Amino acid sequence: MARPRKQLLSRDIILEAALELVATQRDFTITGIAQHLGVNPSSLYHHMIGGKDEIIEALRERIYREIDLRALGGAESSWQSTIEYWVLAYREAVARYPSAIPLLLGRTVGDAPTLALYEVLTVALTEADVPREQHLTVISMLDALVFGSALDAASPDPLWLCTADGQPALHRAGAADPAPDRIGDGLRLGIRAAISYLEASRALLPSDRPGVS
Amino acid sequence: MARPRKQLLSRDIILEAALELVATQRDFTITGIAQHLGVNPSSLYHHMIGGKDEIIEALRERIYREIDLRALGGAESSWQSTIEYWVLAYREAVARYPSAIPLLLGRTVGDAPTLALYEVLTVALTEADVPREQHLTVISMLDALVFGSALDAASPDPLWLCTADGQPALHRAGAADPAPDRIGDGLRLGIRAAISYLEASRALLPSDRPGVS
DNA sequence: ACCTGAACACCGTTCAAGT
DNA sequence: ACCTGAACACCGTTCAAGT
């Protein structure tokens, strides 16, 4: 009874269960994964020595690996469409696992899929003639857009308990029209704003490249 | 010994300690607050019946109350400067308590300071002639900017473990120049992008108000 | 009224024991 | 090699007991 005839666990099985929890449940615990797999919590440590931290890193890797980068950065696509696709695809992947978002934020990352994701964006910024010392700045702004939108989607509705008397403008805003896809609209608005801004800055640069006005 | 001569706790004392923890420490626990006050954890429940949730709500109220709204929305200030000030002041208040950020996100709010904060922004959007049904969309985008920037500031440095061989563009971006205030730059860039976009959309509107071109 | 201390149901993690 | 079960140090929360 201490050891089953067939192997019950593997790194892959554990991560699959973790992904499912993080996509459906509100909280994400070692105990929860173990229960989901019908196994003792301590058993997980034979496959994930790093514990919860290692699981989170592996989750990020899996989530970002789902983003298809092949459609990006080809010579035929403009930097505008690359940035647009990057934000949309990134945010779609993240929003699929809402309860993973707080786990992913603010951690040092070194896995290949994540680095590849940001490398592709940086190349696009180079093509957009963004000065090199501003790359991190623009990246952090687009990052904010992605996670802000994903968080917005995971937020309760209504987000504000406002009243027509106390906060008339906010109340009217909430009452105004269904707005079929507010979250998506916000994201697209942010993308357009960012690209317009980059295009405007670009027009001010000294044109030391052929074909650039 | 079960009861001291002088009162040890009060709602105010507890919240002050919680604010201090959330500003300095990495984690925020009931036990931590109690230790900080030299008191038994269970004692807190005599003043905060709602437990940790109530403390978080009260923290938000205190943090946002520090934002000075008097400088906003006056008849003499443009909607552009209102939005700019709103984002800057909001983000400054939030960034002061980095470990509170995950606690504040995605919760239904009903306290007066928070509602006042968003009411002021919504009024500015009205003045900017943003159609009412787009108010929530724009708010969510500016929200993303605020929290994205605050999270960025709380993130470890370096955020990516990239190599010159594996991710050349990203590596160059990280190596390029000190960038004195990257976070602030990202925020200001986002603000300018948003305002430019709102100004451009505004120019496309039917001018049914006098003085609007 | 106000605080303590025991108690409970949870966490994540370690480790000796079983097969 | 692989899983269990006891154990430990933590959480948040409740409640009877003390003054």
Side-chain angles (χ1 to χ4, degrees):
Chain A
M1 171 145 281
R3 186 183 181 188
R5 311 149 101 271
K6 181 76 176 66
Q7 185 164 326
L8 293 176
L9 292 177
S10 73
R11 194 183 161 84
D12 214 71
I13 291 174
I14 293 172
L15 291 176
E16 215 55 48
L19 262 184
E20 200 182 322
L21 278 193
V22 112
T24 59
Q25 307 274 158
R26 176 118 196 97
D27 54 340
F28 162 74
T29 62
I30 297 284
T31 313
I33 300 175
Q35 276 175 350
H36 193 72
L37 293 170
V39 128
N40 195 296
S42 61
S43 304
L44 303 188
Y45 289 83
H46 292 97
H47 300 87
M48 309 289 279
I49 297 175
K52 202 177 186 184
D53 276 346
E54 187 183 345
I55 295 184
I56 292 172
E57 294 310 309
L59 279 188
R60 187 211 314 280
E61 210 178 317
R62 296 221 161 188
I63 294 174
Y64 292 1
R65 196 192 290 153
E66 294 175 11
I67 303 173
D68 188 5
L69 295 178
R70 286 170 307 180
L72 283 175
E76 72 288 346
S77 61
S78 66
W79 60 267
Q80 287 93 335
S81 66
T82 298
I83 290 178
E84 183 181 2
Y85 180 91
W86 188 89
V87 172
L88 289 174
Y90 191 4
R91 120 85 215 221
E92 193 196 13
V94 170
R96 211 174 289 142
Y97 307 96
S99 74
I101 299 176
L103 306 175
L104 298 179
L105 293 173
R107 286 170 165 267
T108 304
V109 298
D111 62 289
T114 308
L115 294 178
L117 186 64
Y118 284 94
E119 174 71 6
V120 149
L121 175 62
T122 313
V123 169
L125 295 182
T126 306
E127 281 165 16
D129 291 324
V130 175
R132 194 171 289 171
E133 63 273 15
Q134 292 181 20
H135 284 185
L136 291 187
T137 306
V138 177
I139 291 173
S140 92
M141 199 194 65
L142 295 177
D143 235 38
L145 212 53
V146 167
F147 284 96
S149 173
L151 280 169
D152 193 8
S155 290
D157 185 50
L159 189 50
W160 302 292
L161 301 172
C162 60
T163 64
D165 293 338
Q167 299 80 28
L170 187 59
H171 192 264
R172 276 195 300 271
D177 255 348
D181 179 21
R182 193 197 80 218
I183 316 283
D185 291 346
L187 188 62
R188 282 184 288 274
L189 191 155
I191 294 171
R192 282 203 302 270
I195 290 178
S196 309
Y197 182 81
L198 292 179
E199 281 170 340
S201 317
R202 194 170 190 249
L204 299 176
L205 286 178
S207 55
D208 50 354
R209 290 213 312 182
V212 173
S213 70
Chain B
M1 171 146 284
R3 187 184 180 188
R5 314 149 100 272
K6 180 77 177 67
Q7 185 164 327
L8 292 176
L9 292 177
S10 72
R11 195 183 161 83
D12 214 71
I13 292 174
I14 293 171
L15 291 177
E16 214 56 46
L19 262 184
E20 200 182 321
L21 278 192
V22 112
T24 60
Q25 308 272 161
R26 176 118 197 96
D27 55 339
F28 162 75
T29 62
I30 296 284
T31 312
I33 300 175
Q35 276 177 349
H36 194 72
L37 293 171
V39 129
N40 196 295
S42 61
S43 305
L44 303 187
Y45 289 82
H46 292 97
H47 300 87
M48 309 289 277
I49 298 174
K52 202 177 185 183
D53 276 345
E54 187 184 345
I55 294 183
I56 292 172
E57 294 310 310
L59 279 188
R60 189 213 312 282
E61 210 177 318
R62 296 220 162 189
I63 294 174
Y64 292 2
R65 195 192 291 154
E66 294 175 10
I67 303 172
D68 188 5
L69 295 178
R70 287 171 306 179
L72 284 176
E76 71 287 347
S77 61
S78 67
W79 60 265
Q80 287 94 334
S81 65
T82 298
I83 289 179
E84 183 181 2
Y85 180 90
W86 188 90
V87 173
L88 290 174
Y90 191 4
R91 120 85 214 222
E92 192 197 12
V94 169
R96 210 174 291 143
Y97 306 97
S99 73
I101 299 176
L103 307 174
L104 297 178
L105 293 173
R107 284 169 166 268
T108 304
V109 297
D111 62 289
T114 308
L115 293 179
L117 186 64
Y118 284 95
E119 174 71 5
V120 148
L121 175 62
T122 314
V123 169
L125 296 181
T126 306
E127 281 165 16
D129 291 324
V130 175
R132 196 171 288 173
E133 63 273 15
Q134 293 180 19
H135 283 185
L136 291 188
T137 306
V138 177
I139 291 173
S140 92
M141 198 195 65
L142 295 177
D143 236 36
L145 213 53
V146 166
F147 284 96
S149 172
L151 281 169
D152 193 6
S155 290
D157 183 52
L159 190 47
W160 303 292
L161 301 173
C162 60
T163 64
D165 292 339
Q167 298 81 28
L170 188 58
H171 192 265
R172 275 195 300 271
D177 255 348
D181 180 21
R182 194 198 80 219
I183 317 281
D185 290 345
L187 188 62
R188 282 183 287 274
L189 191 155
I191 295 172
R192 282 203 301 270
I195 290 179
S196 308
Y197 182 80
L198 292 179
E199 281 171 341
S201 316
R202 195 171 191 248
L204 300 176
L205 286 178
S207 53
D208 49 355
R209 288 213 312 180
V212 174
S213 71

